[in-house]
């Protein structure tokens, strides 16, 4: 067992290559994130996740599986989960006529959110996946195309309650959670996958609105992913590379003690710092020094996979030179995200009363 395995990497295809196995066995590899290209069917996915665990059983197997347009596995029995905005719409619908009663929609929506979390988590775990990067806590300002209907609602209070309900469902399935994208990606139009978004609001304005769900959920969130967004009135660096955001505000002010993941280091929003183009290794060192426990590098194993090897070797060299210090606390936070219960096999899950009821509750 390594003292700190901070790198979450990907694999190229539907089964492990020799290079995949070598990278997964690296002492700095802490997990793997799966994509649609890693999916063919449930049997194949279970074989893949079993092969990953055979390399190292402590590896955290992750996926972006939120519902709506961000759902990597969609066939062979996987439930097509609604976008989170559907739960926000349900919250606002108290019905019509004599049966309408203020608050009815909110109660139905929180129950449906718990059901969505349970279905999401139980189906993934039945296929050997440990963890999904969900829920989205961004507010729906109506400006961001990359967030859009991934957000529950415009109102931070509604977002917090629906997210907490969804996380309850994940917990029922034995899965941890990840609130993203701290302190908020919904206000900016630019997509951090392809640009460097800039949010020019004051710290006071951000904390009162987009970031509000985080302290409200500080005892429920098990991990957080910061945004590759710059907030120049707070710090010159994007939130995921900012000690001010991660250590001063998220850790100390909001008292969050779970794991912090960087967002994908290959996104455009992470490719330059302080006006300079940076390598993946340099970006990882800055993110870890700022307060991240884990760093993601996505979609770089395809082809030769040279960028993945450069990061693994580069961060190892940075450690040996003292440019990066491994953290026992960070490693404990990573390990805490692994499920503590056995998953229910798929064929049994399909007949489980709680699962069938949850399906009926989905919008």
């Amino acid at each position: 067992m390594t003292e700190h395995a901070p790198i979450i990497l990907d694999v190229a295809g539907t089964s492990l290559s020799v290079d995949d196995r070598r990278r997964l066995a690296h002492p700095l590899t802490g997990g793997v994130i799966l994509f649609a290209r890693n999916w063919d069917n449930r049997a194949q996915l279970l074989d893949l996740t079993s092969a990953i665990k055979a390399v190292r059983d402590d590896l955290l197997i992750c996926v972006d599986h939120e519902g709506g347009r961000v759902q990597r596995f969609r066939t062979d029995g996987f439930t097509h989960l609604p976008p989170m905005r559907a739960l926000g719409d349900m919250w606002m619908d108290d019905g019509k006529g004599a049966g309408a009663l203020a608050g009815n929609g909110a109660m139905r929506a929180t129950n449906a959110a718990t059901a969505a979390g349970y279905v999401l988590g139980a189906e993934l775990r039945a296929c050997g996946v440990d963890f999904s990067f969900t829920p989205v806590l961004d507010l729906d300002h109506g400006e961001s195309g990359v967030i859009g209907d991934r957000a529950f609602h415009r109102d931070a209070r509604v977002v917090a309650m629906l997210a907490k309900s969804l996380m309850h469902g994940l917990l029922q399935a034995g899965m941890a959670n990840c609130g993203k994208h701290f302190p908020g990606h919904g206000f900016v139009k630019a997509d951090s996958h392809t640009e460097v978004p800039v949010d020019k609001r004051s710290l006071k304005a951000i904390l009162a609105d987009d970031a509000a769900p985080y302290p409200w959920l500080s005892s429920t969130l098990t991990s957080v992913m910061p945004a590759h967004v710059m907030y120049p009135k707070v710090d010159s660096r994007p939130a995921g590379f900012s000690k001010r955001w991660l250590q001063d505000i998220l850790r100390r002010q909001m008292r969050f003690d779970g794991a912090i993941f960087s967002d994908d280091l290959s996104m455009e929003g992470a490719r330059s710092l302080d006006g300079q183009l940076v390598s993946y290794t340099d970006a990882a060192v800055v993110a870890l020094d700022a307060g991240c426990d884990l760093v993601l590098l996505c979609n770089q194993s395809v082809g030769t996979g040279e960028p993945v090897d450069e990061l693994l070797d580069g961060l190892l060299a940075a450690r040996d030179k003292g440019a990066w210090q491994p953290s026992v606390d960070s490693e404990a936070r990573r390990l805490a995200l692994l499920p503590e219960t056995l998953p229910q096999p798929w064929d049994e899950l399909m007949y489980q009363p709680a699962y069938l009821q949850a399906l009926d509750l989905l919008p």
Side-chain angles (χ1 to χ4, degrees), residues 25 61 72 78 187 200 204 244 291 318 327 340:
I61 302 177
R72 305 307 184 198
F78 265 91
F187 187 78
K200 296 181 180 180
K204 182 178 180 181
R244 178 85 190 280
S327 167
E340 297 181 355

Side-chain angles (χ1 to χ4, degrees), residues 86-236:
L87 294 167
D89 291 343
M90 181 183 285
W91 178 290
M92 301 302 295
D93 183 6
D94 289 328
K96 298 178 180 178
L101 182 65
N104 271 355
M107 295 300 97
R108 289 190 301 111
T110 53
N111 202 27
T114 299
Y118 179 69
V119 170
L120 186 161
E123 291 183 354
L124 288 176
R125 291 211 57 211
C127 293
V129 179
D130 298 321
F131 181 83
S132 177
F133 292 104
T134 190
V136 169
L137 299 183
D138 300 314
L139 306 189
D140 184 6
H141 288 271
E143 296 291 333
S144 172
V146 71
I147 301 302
D149 64 1
R150 297 166 66 192
F152 288 103
H153 203 274
R154 169 62 183 88
D155 191 318
R157 297 166 297 181
V158 177
V159 169
M161 290 306 301
L162 290 176
K164 186 164 188 173
S165 299
L166 185 133
M167 290 187 285
H168 185 190
L170 292 174
L171 181 62
Q172 289 175 333
M175 183 174 283
N177 60 69
C178 182
K180 60 186 187 183
H181 307 83
F182 176 80
H185 199 313
F187 187 78
V188 291
K189 288 185 179 181
D191 179 353
S192 55
H193 292 85
T194 57
E195 304 176 65
V196 183
V198 178
D199 186 335
K200 296 181 180 180
R201 292 177 297 168
S202 68
L203 175 61
K204 182 178 180 181
I206 296 167
L207 293 181
D209 198 10
D210 292 64
Y214 290 89
W216 293 337
L217 298 171
S218 61
S219 63
T220 307
L221 288 166
T222 49
S223 70
V224 163
M225 177 179 287
H228 286 328
V229 175
M230 288 182 61
Y231 308 87
K233 290 187 178 178
V234 183
D235 197 326
S236 62

Side-chain angles (χ1 to χ4, degrees), residues 225-296:
M225 177 179 287
H228 286 328
V229 175
M230 288 182 61
Y231 308 87
K233 290 187 178 178
V234 183
D235 197 326
S236 62
R237 290 179 170 178
F241 302 98
S242 165
K243 290 183 180 181
R244 178 85 190 280
W245 277 115
L246 301 185
Q247 297 185 34
D248 295 344
I249 298 172
L250 184 60
R251 289 280 189 222
R252 298 189 184 100
Q253 184 174 329
M254 297 182 177
R255 303 180 68 181
F256 173 70
D257 194 39
I260 301 176
F261 288 88
S262 81
D263 207 341
D264 176 16
L265 296 179
S266 71
M267 291 165 57
E268 189 62 30
R271 299 303 295 124
S272 63
L273 293 172
D274 304 324
Q276 299 293 320
L277 185 68
V278 294
S279 69
Y280 294 135
T281 297
D282 290 341
V285 168
V286 173
L288 291 166
D289 184 59
C292 289
D293 302 293
L294 299 143
V295 293
L296 274 76

Side-chain angles (χ1 to χ4, degrees), residues 43-54:
Q44 167 270 321
L45 180 59
L46 189 56
D47 285 345
L48 176 60
T49 55
S50 298
I52 292 168
K53 291 292 187 178

Side-chain angles (χ1 to χ4, degrees), residues 285-324:
V285 168
V286 173
L288 291 166
D289 184 59
C292 289
D293 302 293
L294 299 143
V295 293
L296 274 76
L297 184 63
C298 303
N299 299 310
Q300 301 304 307
S301 67
V302 179
T304 65
E306 185 177 342
V308 183
D309 291 327
E310 288 179 356
L311 176 59
L312 291 168
D313 295 342
L315 194 57
L316 199 61
R319 184 198 66 182
D320 294 342
K321 293 176 183 176
W324 165 65

